[in-house]
Amino acid sequence: MSFNSIIFVMVFLPFSVLGYYLLSLTPLHRLRLPFLILMSLIFYGRVQMSYIPLLLGSIVANYLIATMIARNMAHERAKRFWLALGVIGNAGALISLKYLSAVVGAIFETLGHTNLLANIVIPLAISFYTFQQISFLVDVARGRVELAGIVRFMSFVAFFPTLFAGPITLYSEMGSQLGIRPQRKGMAQNLLTGLIIFSLGLFKKTVLADTIGLWVDPIFATVHQGNVPGFFLGWGSALSYTLQIYFDFSGYSDMAIGVARMLGLVLPLNFFSPLRSTSISEIWRRWHMTLGRFVRVYIYHPISIPLARFAAEKGYGKWMAMAISTFVPTFFSMLIIGMWHGPSWTYVVFGTMHGIFMVTNELYLSLTRRKRHKKRDSRTAIFCYGLLTLIAFVSAEVPFRSETVGDALRIFGGMAGLHGLGLTHNWTKFFSPSGNGIMLLFIVLGFLIVYLLPNTEQIMDKVHPALEWEKWRIVDASRLRFTFRFTPTWVVVASLALFFGFAFISRGTTKFIYFQF
Amino acid sequence: MTAEINTFEEEFIPRRRAWLLLALFAICFISYCVLTYLLPHNRYVRYQQLADSDLFRSRWVYERIHYDKTPIDVAIIGSSRLETSVSAPTLERELSEQLGRPIHVANLAIPEEGRNLHYLVARELVENHPETRVILLSVVERADVSHPAFRYLANPVDLLRAPLFINHYYFLDAAFLPYRQMSYFVQTLFPAWFGVSRAFRKDYMGTGFDTTYSFYLPSGKLVDRYHVMPQDKLEANSRQMINELGGTWRQPSRWQALNFPLEQEYTKRLVDVAKKHCVEVIFVRLPFYRSPPHMYDEAFYRDLGPLLDAEQLNNNPQTYGDAGHFNRYEIDLVSAWLKESINPYLSPLKTPASCSK
């Protein structure tokens, strides 16, 4: 089941919310979390029933390991053993189910044999719930969280709003919230707040992302057939896809935040107007923020800190120490982020490009640190940083979307002008509903929305829309500033977002892009 | 560790106000939906929506009924079984020769099952062609589904007046309306931009259009009506169909009938509207390959009108393009059989029993 389906909006969501509150407000309140788990399993099972045992098995196994870690907090070796077992087990399951069939398949095909693992379907959401559980085990070992029963843990991992595509939450931020029994007080405001955030997300997905997708998908399909795009079409496809995935994934994240809020739970931010960033490292602090956080806390730091110690012990010079302690882990982390998306060379290229961009960015910051301390950047410089960041990010989206590296190279060729400008002479076709003129219009409109309007959380500023909001609310105000007011006029406008979002489902909405990861 | 947050502790909107705003939100949402139902649009534009799908002939059906003034004495309505197997020009020629006067036959069948669409087509037909005497309506083993074209082609009122009780399609069809109505409204305003037309199009396929010939789908795929399915595949295909129908046929239980209300409800509605216009509805069942006899709810249809069953035609593997459809080699046999069977209903002296015309 998906958020952008009639059945979810009309049946599943109202039933889940109603059931959750009915149980919470009666003597049966102890059943509210089991009910949430049940609804989450139905939500998952509607798409992939066969992997429910894997999901449940993974949850139970991780909880047992966490129990062993908690029991052995005083015994460092035993604790490390159980932690290592848990991390390796999770990572092993993820790698084997997500990558093994592709790797084995490639070997079989190279040897001219039939791929025996070709029919293995990658379990849905495995990347997301595996990361959540690894972070849980590490946090238990670090003494950051305490176990509060398997029911609460299960409702945290299988929590349907975040199950398929995040935000990747931490037990430390969700566990205590799940333990709070909802009350009448605050119920209506949570429902209303959640509904508005959900509506904005649905609008982003079905009206904006899916509309842009109408032009993007055919272009990438024709490139896959061997066609080469000209300069304008190359850039048009890259820019359009960037907008599509932004509205798609940030729309999904808004919907997850909205649904959780309807249940009284506050999730972490996953997007914060990343396309307005002025550096590539900033974009990664604002794009798929919870994945970035996971990689930073559980991959980058564990690699970077020992390497920094190693460089210090060896007495390396400034640049060598920086290369070892910063550049190498940065590049490696970006590569991991790229490869996390799946077993394809296109994701390796995507990760490598971002790794190069990030290292270049770090290098530039190191070289200009003294100068930048003395003088603030001019508006022109900030504009140029933003433009350069956007170009880099948009370019890296090309291999991300392409079927093969060859396709990506053809589009890069087009963007570099190797296949001509590709200007049209047929203006009637250009301005037809499927013409590139409309694509151009949507690119302009999309970037105007990105640059001028506040993001969903900024609009909902007054109601603490996400965790750590105090930190984010002061960051990067939009050109046009407004916040939602709880007045009839604003509610009438907000319900329009739900109406259009809902109506456009029937146009033929597509799967969320991040469902495949 | 993140600071503990409890969204139920602090009320930033007074509770009563929050409930009122929530109610207003719901009322506005419903109002917008209702307003879209009232948006006007051109019905011909509606019937051009499926041009890129396998159901593209729905446009021709509309044109034949609304723009083509040639009479329709016998209309064939149903799914691909009748569409592929009954050649309207052949049947028309044979009936005219036999009766000694011109009889006009139109095959208005559209692929896919779904009695609700048959009802729509039949209603359009009898309301616009009062001369129609006979509707040949397809009967298949089990077809308790909503036709995929129904939500595109039905009036909003038809969609909302569909049977509500345990109708799996009701809310999906109703939820489809807001987008559809907005889309049709805009397309009616700017038809050229969307490649549709408000006026009768010149590329009409003509009165004598024969649905039994090979053609290309809009996707470019050839539908070869001369294809003979290899017998092993045909047998396997047939066995699969029988298995999907539950192996051995049993009369549908009361519960099943409740669970799938569309076939019975819309068949009754169709017969009613036909009767009102003095049109005889004859049920026609063309069997799939090696289909067991009487593998359908025979009693239900016999209560409503005559039932013709071509069970005798189900054994020749050379005449099947796939297990469910005859190929071109069976056309003459089907026409000859139909000609004999429906001849009595076209007699000029005979008036349908239920009709006071």
Side-chain angles (χ1 to χ4, degrees):
Chain A
M1 199 181 304
S2 179
F3 292 159
N4 57 334
S5 64
I6 302 282
I7 195 93
F8 179 83
V9 179
M10 299 295 283
V11 182
F12 186 88
L13 180 60
F15 183 76
S16 303
V17 172
L18 194 70
Y20 184 75
Y21 279 114
L22 277 179
L23 288 171
S24 301
L25 301 175
T26 62
L28 297 171
H29 65 91
R30 286 186 195 286
L31 292 177
R32 72 188 162 79
L33 290 185
F35 174 75
L36 204 56
I37 294 167
L38 176 71
M39 295 314 288
S40 299
L41 294 179
I42 292 170
F43 185 76
Y44 190 89
R46 282 270 303 183
V47 184
Q48 213 176 50
M49 185 67 99
S50 55
Y51 280 121
I52 283 186
L54 178 75
L55 172 66
L56 291 175
S58 167
I59 292 171
V60 171
N62 275 286
Y63 190 77
L64 290 176
I65 291 171
T67 311
M68 295 312 293
I69 293 171
R71 269 190 202 161
N72 289 288
M73 287 302 277
H75 307 96
E76 193 62 24
R77 281 188 66 180
K79 185 179 86 175
R80 278 173 182 265
F81 166 77
W82 286 108
L83 176 63
L85 182 73
V87 172
I88 292 168
N90 278 301
L94 175 64
I95 291 168
S96 57
L97 285 164
K98 195 164 176 176
Y99 302 93
L100 197 65
S101 70
V103 174
V104 172
I107 294 168
F108 272 100
E109 275 171 30
T110 311
L111 298 174
H113 297 295
T114 313
N115 179 10
L116 299 174
L117 303 179
N119 292 330
I120 287 186
V121 180
I122 297 171
L124 197 64
I126 188 168
S127 310
F128 291 93
Y129 68 70
T130 300
F131 275 18
Q132 289 201 172
Q133 296 189 105
I134 288 176
S135 72
F136 170 69
L137 295 179
V138 174
D139 285 352
V140 169
R142 287 175 179 172
R144 286 181 186 168
V145 294
E146 286 171 13
L147 303 183
I150 193 164
V151 173
R152 199 187 294 187
F153 177 65
M154 200 177 268
S155 57
F156 155 69
V157 178
F159 187 48
F160 73 85
T162 60
L163 181 58
F164 281 164
I168 301 168
T169 54
L170 304 178
Y171 191 76
S172 57
E173 60 200 10
M174 295 304 295
S176 58
Q177 290 194 68
L178 285 163
I180 296 169
R181 180 184 168 189
Q183 308 160 27
R184 279 205 176 82
K185 181 185 171 186
M187 186 174 139
Q189 70 181 16
N190 277 332
L191 285 172
L192 185 60
T193 304
L195 189 58
I196 292 164
I197 297 175
F198 178 82
S199 305
L200 293 172
L202 186 64
F203 182 88
K204 277 183 178 177
K205 166 62 181 163
T206 62
V207 180
L208 300 178
D210 287 345
T211 302
I212 298 166
L214 292 176
W215 287 276
V216 173
D217 295 342
I219 295 172
F220 279 90
T222 56
V223 169
H224 189 56
Q225 287 162 4
N227 293 332
V228 283
F231 178 79
F232 288 109
L233 198 58
W235 277 103
S237 58
L239 287 165
S240 308
Y241 181 64
T242 305
L243 285 172
Q244 185 196 357
I245 192 169
Y246 169 65
F247 286 126
D248 187 284
F249 197 17
S250 72
Y252 173 85
S253 300
D254 288 346
M255 282 188 258
I257 289 170
V259 173
R261 187 55 179 263
M262 283 187 219
L263 300 169
L265 305 166
V266 184
L267 296 184
L269 273 178
N270 216 22
F271 281 82
F272 193 82
S273 301
L275 299 178
R276 296 206 296 247
S277 304
T278 53
S279 75
I280 202 77
S281 58
E282 188 187 345
I283 228 173
W284 276 108
R285 284 195 294 274
R286 293 162 64 166
W287 177 284
H288 203 175
M289 296 155 76
T290 53
L291 175 66
R293 175 179 67 175
F294 179 88
V295 171
R296 197 168 52 250
V297 175
Y298 300 100
I299 296 177
Y300 177 83
H301 287 162
I303 299 171
S304 165
I305 293 168
L307 284 176
R309 280 202 194 110
F310 171 77
E313 281 166 14
K314 291 282 178 188
Y316 290 135
K318 179 189 166 190
W319 292 108
M320 189 61 181
M322 186 170 268
I324 289 175
S325 63
T326 306
F327 298 163
V328 169
T330 300
F331 185 85
F332 184 69
S333 299
M334 297 318 294
L335 196 61
I336 292 272
I337 286 181
M339 291 172 68
W340 171 83
H341 291 94
S344 165
W345 287 110
T346 54
Y347 298 129
V348 174
V349 175
F350 167 80
T352 305
M353 284 177 77
H354 273 292
I356 293 168
F357 296 153
M358 288 284 277
V359 168
T360 309
N361 183 63
E362 293 292 335
L363 196 61
Y364 176 78
L365 287 177
S366 305
L367 287 171
T368 59
R369 187 160 288 145
R370 200 169 291 170
K371 194 176 152 192
R372 287 156 66 90
H373 270 300
K374 282 183 190 164
K375 205 172 124 188
R376 284 184 66 182
D377 290 322
S378 66
R379 293 181 95 174
T380 317
I382 291 172
F383 173 79
C384 290
Y385 292 149
L387 188 65
L388 198 62
T389 303
L390 186 69
I391 290 171
F393 191 79
V394 166
S395 305
E397 289 304 307
V398 171
F400 189 87
R401 171 63 179 80
S402 299
E403 297 271 321
T404 64
V405 176
D407 294 358
L409 290 175
R410 275 194 287 279
I411 294 176
F412 281 143
M415 291 163 78
L418 298 181
H419 314 305
L421 291 176
L423 276 173
T424 184
H425 300 291
N426 185 348
W427 293 104
T428 313
K429 195 180 169 198
F430 186 75
F431 286 112
S432 69
S434 58
N436 295 334
I438 302 300
M439 180 172 85
L440 184 66
L441 187 73
F442 266 93
I443 291 172
V444 172
L445 191 69
F447 278 102
L448 283 177
I449 291 171
V450 165
Y451 283 102
L452 295 182
L453 298 185
N455 59 47
T456 305
E457 285 71 28
Q458 285 173 324
I459 292 172
M460 301 305 293
D461 176 42
K462 288 178 180 158
V463 294
H464 199 100
L467 293 174
E468 299 185 331
W469 181 241
E470 297 307 321
K471 187 177 103 185
W472 283 100
R473 66 183 304 186
I474 52 171
V475 176
D476 192 15
S478 57
R479 293 266 179 265
L480 296 173
R481 292 180 204 183
F482 58 86
T483 55
F484 188 86
R485 283 182 225 138
F486 287 88
T487 62
T489 314
W490 282 85
V491 166
V492 169
V493 176
S495 59
L496 263 180
L498 181 66
F499 167 71
F500 279 110
F502 174 77
F504 272 66
I505 292 174
S506 299
R507 179 178 56 176
T509 185
T510 54
K511 244 178 23 175
F512 286 100
I513 293 171
Y514 263 70
F515 271 26
Q516 60 189 302
F517 307 132
Chain B
M1 194 182 289
T2 312
E4 201 161 290
I5 187 163
N6 184 348
T7 56
F8 295 97
E9 264 179 0
E10 187 194 353
E11 278 190 321
F12 45 84
I13 328 165
R15 204 182 308 180
R16 189 179 151 78
R17 186 179 177 80
W19 281 115
L20 285 174
L21 290 175
L22 205 53
L24 177 66
F25 193 104
I27 290 166
C28 288
F29 177 77
I30 293 166
S31 305
Y32 299 139
C33 292
V34 172
L35 282 175
T36 60
Y37 298 167
L38 305 174
L39 283 174
H41 66 263
N42 182 293
R43 296 184 73 232
Y44 185 36
V45 166
R46 198 196 295 171
Y47 276 80
Q48 293 169 59
Q49 297 302 311
L50 301 165
D52 294 330
S53 76
D54 295 0
L55 310 172
F56 66 99
R57 280 182 181 154
S58 53
R59 187 192 122 198
W60 177 82
V61 169
Y62 186 87
E63 288 168 338
R64 178 68 182 89
I65 292 173
H66 288 269
Y67 294 114
D68 192 334
K69 298 299 174 198
T70 312
I72 299 175
D73 299 302
V74 177
I76 296 144
I77 296 176
S79 64
S80 52
R81 291 235 192 138
L82 287 186
E83 187 219 10
T84 57
S85 311
V86 183
S87 163
T90 307
L91 186 60
E92 182 173 297
R93 193 177 57 247
E94 294 193 359
L95 282 170
S96 300
E97 280 172 11
Q98 191 174 39
L99 292 165
R101 61 188 166 89
I103 296 290
H104 299 280
V105 180
N107 190 338
L108 308 175
I110 295 172
E112 306 268 357
E113 299 299 342
R115 188 64 86 208
N116 45 9
L117 184 74
H118 305 162
Y119 163 69
L120 286 188
V121 174
R123 195 182 61 192
E124 292 285 319
L125 172 75
V126 296
E127 284 176 356
N128 291 281
H129 283 267
E131 74 283 1
T132 304
R133 300 298 306 274
V134 169
I135 289 175
L136 299 178
L137 186 65
S138 73
V139 171
V140 294
E141 294 70 34
R142 190 181 294 160
D144 295 315
V145 290
S146 175
H147 197 286
F150 183 68
R151 58 171 64 170
Y152 290 91
L153 305 181
N155 294 328
V157 169
D158 287 320
L159 282 165
L160 297 174
R161 279 190 188 163
L164 181 61
F165 185 64
I166 325 187
N167 178 357
H168 307 282
Y169 304 93
Y170 187 89
F171 290 105
L172 289 177
D173 286 346
F176 183 69
L177 267 174
Y179 177 77
R180 187 195 95 153
Q181 293 296 102
M182 289 191 286
S183 170
Y184 291 1
F185 176 68
V186 176
Q187 289 185 56
T188 301
L189 288 179
F190 311 104
W193 208 59
F194 293 94
V196 294
S197 171
R198 287 190 301 243
F200 181 45
R201 294 170 65 142
K202 288 177 182 167
D203 55 347
Y204 172 56
M205 287 191 280
T207 311
F209 172 61
D210 193 339
T211 55
T212 62
Y213 280 106
S214 303
F215 64 99
Y216 284 96
L217 289 170
S219 61
K221 186 184 164 197
L222 173 70
V223 177
D224 181 7
R225 297 284 205 226
Y226 290 92
H227 175 66
V228 178
M229 190 177 235
Q231 194 165 355
D232 54 337
K233 279 189 182 174
L234 201 56
E235 300 282 356
N237 211 330
S238 168
R239 275 196 301 274
Q240 189 188 341
M241 287 177 82
I242 293 170
N243 285 337
E244 282 170 5
L245 287 164
T248 51
W249 177 253
R250 276 176 302 195
Q251 197 70 9
S253 68
R254 207 175 173 76
W255 169 245
Q256 279 172 316
L258 273 177
N259 232 328
F260 299 101
L262 295 184
E263 170 71 12
Q264 297 200 354
E265 174 63 26
Y266 278 104
T267 305
K268 285 179 193 162
R269 287 190 193 183
L270 190 154
V271 171
D272 283 348
V273 79
K275 275 183 181 170
K276 268 186 201 161
H277 291 81
C278 299
V279 178
E280 189 82 54
V281 176
I282 302 174
F283 297 101
V284 178
R285 189 216 170 209
L286 297 181
F288 64 86
Y289 181 65
R290 291 203 191 284
S291 116
H294 312 296
M295 202 177 189
Y296 56 103
D297 194 358
E298 197 175 327
F300 169 75
Y301 298 106
R302 285 204 189 281
D303 278 352
L304 295 172
L307 174 68
L308 309 176
D309 193 330
E311 232 170 71
Q312 73 281 7
L313 302 177
N314 80 341
N315 285 319
N316 184 356
Q318 293 303 310
T319 60
Y320 277 91
D322 61 56
H325 301 95
F326 289 128
N327 56 30
R328 277 288 302 173
Y329 302 114
E330 188 76 342
I331 301 301
D332 290 340
L333 272 178
V334 173
S335 297
W337 169 73
L338 272 179
K339 177 186 71 176
E340 294 305 327
S341 306
I342 65 173
N343 184 353
Y345 301 99
L346 290 167
S347 160
L349 298 173
K350 181 164 181 183
T351 304
S354 60
C355 185
S356 55
K357 184 161 82 172

